[in-house]
Amino acid sequence: MRCRQTVDTIEDLLQYGSESRLQLLRASEAKVDAPLALRLGCASGTRCIKLDAVRSERGQAGRPFAFTHVWFPPQPARKRDKLLRTDTAIATLLSALDARTLGRIEQTFTAEALDADMASHLQVRKGAPTLRVDRAYFNRQGALILLASPIKLDDARLPV
């Protein structure tokens, strides 16, 4: 089942980010396949930046509840270098999502089962039910800023 939604305001999404913690697991460059390249607005085989992160509840318990892939279209060298460094990647990501420069956000929702890698990071078993939310963030001129795909656990936790 799929559902597509355009978000007119970003306050709710920004609130979600401030009420949780994002931990970067990996920052890398990877060649994108044709479908992803089309979404990123570049040629198939282009090397784009990918961030993998886990979102957790704030506080000491800090239970992870989402695994996120973030893809950036080709970037200028300075921004590319900041995104690939673990000490600057999250700050660079957050600055790209500044409410003053965002024009719109498009979301697509899909139900799916977790693969082994994501399940391991979320501390649940492979195949656990999840909700995938593909978000495309655009600036006020309509240019794509980034694609994010958080994969959220159902409220019913399935232990490892």
Side-chain angles (χ1 to χ4, degrees):
M1 178 176 169
R2 292 182 76 125
C3 170
R4 186 173 177 94
Q5 171 186 6
T6 299
V7 177
D8 294 322
T9 63
I10 61 165
E11 285 75 17
D12 289 342
L13 285 177
L14 294 177
Q15 184 67 25
Y16 163 76
S18 68
E19 293 178 356
S20 60
R21 185 173 61 88
L22 189 65
Q23 176 189 4
L24 181 66
L25 300 173
R26 303 178 270 277
S28 61
E29 274 189 309
K31 290 183 180 180
V32 295
D33 60 15
L36 183 55
L38 182 64
R39 293 181 63 210
L40 290 169
C42 60
S44 181
T46 300
R47 295 184 65 80
C48 292
I49 295 171
K50 179 184 178 191
L51 305 179
D52 291 331
V54 171
R55 189 167 291 281
S56 303
E57 298 169 350
R58 285 222 180 258
Q60 290 184 326
R63 282 191 340 180
F65 64 85
F67 186 97
T68 303
H69 298 294
V70 179
W71 285 95
F72 286 85
Q75 299 292 310
R78 186 171 176 215
K79 188 170 183 181
R80 178 191 157 280
D81 292 343
K82 286 183 177 182
L83 286 166
L84 290 172
R85 290 182 38 199
T86 57
D87 61 330
T88 57
I90 296 296
T92 305
L93 165 66
L94 294 175
S95 72
L97 298 178
D98 184 336
R100 296 170 294 194
T101 59
L102 283 175
R104 75 178 193 281
I105 302 167
E106 294 177 358
Q107 296 187 112
T108 304
F109 301 88
T110 310
E112 61 183 55
L114 281 180
D115 67 26
D117 182 51
M118 289 183 222
S120 170
H121 288 292
L122 294 174
Q123 303 168 12
V124 296
R125 71 173 184 237
K126 177 182 172 186
T130 63
L131 178 66
R132 178 179 171 152
V133 183
D134 290 315
R135 290 189 186 118
Y137 294 83
F138 298 88
N139 66 20
R140 293 188 186 277
Q141 292 74 41
L144 178 71
I145 298 169
L146 63 88
L147 298 174
S149 295
I151 300 178
K152 299 178 182 181
L153 287 174
D154 187 310
D155 284 340
R157 292 263 167 178
L158 298 174
V160 177

